Amino acid sequence: MSGQVSQVRRWIGLPVVAVVLVVATITVQLTHGGGTYEPLRPADACVERSVTSRATGIDGLTERLVLIGLDEAACTLRTSREALTLQLARQSGDPTTKQVDALREGLLSAVARMKADGSLPKASALVDEVLDSADLNGLLERIIRALPDSVIDRALSTDDVLVRTIDDLDVRALLDDLDDPSALDGRVEKAVTQAVKDSLEARLRDLV
């Protein structure tokens, strides 16, 4: 009988111990400022912020381009980058002309900003990556690889290639049927990356 009483007391004591632990945890949090917690606000898209990329080469270039471009577009639309991507994913119907124009202009503004801060790589720094994925005959590829960097950089400027790429980009198609906010960056980056490679390849062909 005494064993049963002890068992009952243990079962009764468990909720008491749980309550004590919860109260102690809350007390510690309040002591360290937990009672003044406020949710983080999205960054102001109109305030220039540093944008870095973990990728290199053309992938890194286009990643920065898209992130800056989305900030610029969000600023134009008077919202945050996070809110814009969420809106594009949740809205019913096609993207509006205002959204399409804002993103295109944002990407063009990003090119200008990257040119101004000196973060655009020279075209010659991207040639090997372009040739590695291009479908060129062996002789043409060897001729292009043999061109001095100075010749390539005089004939091609990275900002000009990017501007031409963005002008030709089907932005509306990129924004259409977007059901995942996190997919927007990747979708635009993939399209821009491929377009940049195609543009550079075509213009490299014209050099020889």
Side-chain angles (χ1 to χ4, degrees):
M1 181 69 177
S2 60
Q4 292 178 342
V5 172
S6 298
Q7 188 176 12
V8 170
R9 285 177 177 173
R10 282 197 298 271
W11 282 107
I12 293 175
L14 287 176
V16 175
V17 172
V19 171
V20 171
L21 290 174
V22 170
V23 171
T25 301
I26 293 174
T27 300
V28 171
Q29 289 179 341
L30 290 174
T31 302
H32 290 81
T36 58
Y37 170 78
E38 293 182 3
L40 294 176
R41 295 180 178 178
D44 185 346
C46 295
V47 176
E48 187 173 307
R49 51 178 162 172
S50 177
V51 176
T52 58
S53 172
R54 289 172 293 182
T56 58
I58 295 177
D59 286 340
L61 169 64
T62 55
E63 183 181 350
R64 290 193 68 241
L65 175 74
V66 170
L67 290 175
I68 296 172
L70 283 171
D71 266 342
E72 295 285 346
C75 178
T76 298
L77 297 172
R78 304 296 182 185
T79 185
S80 66
R81 182 205 298 170
E82 296 77 9
L84 174 59
T85 55
L86 192 62
Q87 178 186 1
L88 289 169
R90 288 183 173 178
Q91 72 183 16
S92 58
D94 297 333
T96 66
T97 299
K98 190 173 183 180
Q99 290 170 335
V100 172
D101 290 345
L103 182 54
R104 188 184 303 279
E105 290 303 316
L107 291 171
L108 291 172
S109 295
V111 175
R113 172 177 156 185
M114 293 168 71
K115 181 181 180 181
D117 66 20
S119 62
L120 281 181
K122 291 184 179 298
S124 58
L126 306 174
V127 168
D128 285 342
E129 185 177 350
V130 171
L131 293 178
D132 287 342
S133 61
D135 184 21
L136 301 180
N137 67 66
L139 177 60
L140 181 58
E141 181 178 338
R142 287 194 295 273
I143 292 174
I144 294 175
R145 288 188 189 277
L147 291 172
D149 289 351
S150 58
V151 172
I152 294 173
D153 293 331
R154 279 198 301 269
L156 302 175
S157 63
T158 306
D159 59 307
D160 183 54
V161 170
L162 289 174
V163 167
R164 289 171 180 265
T165 296
I166 295 166
D167 284 340
D168 293 338
L169 199 63
D170 190 346
V171 176
R172 186 175 296 278
L174 291 175
L175 300 181
D176 195 28
D177 296 327
L178 183 71
D179 56 5
D180 180 4
S182 63
L184 177 60
D185 292 9
R187 183 182 291 189
V188 179
E189 286 170 21
K190 183 178 180 180
V192 172
T193 297
Q194 188 57 54
V196 168
K197 288 181 178 180
D198 291 344
S199 178
L200 279 171
E201 179 186 340
R203 300 183 72 185
L204 284 169
R205 287 174 182 270
D206 292 340
L207 290 178
V208 295

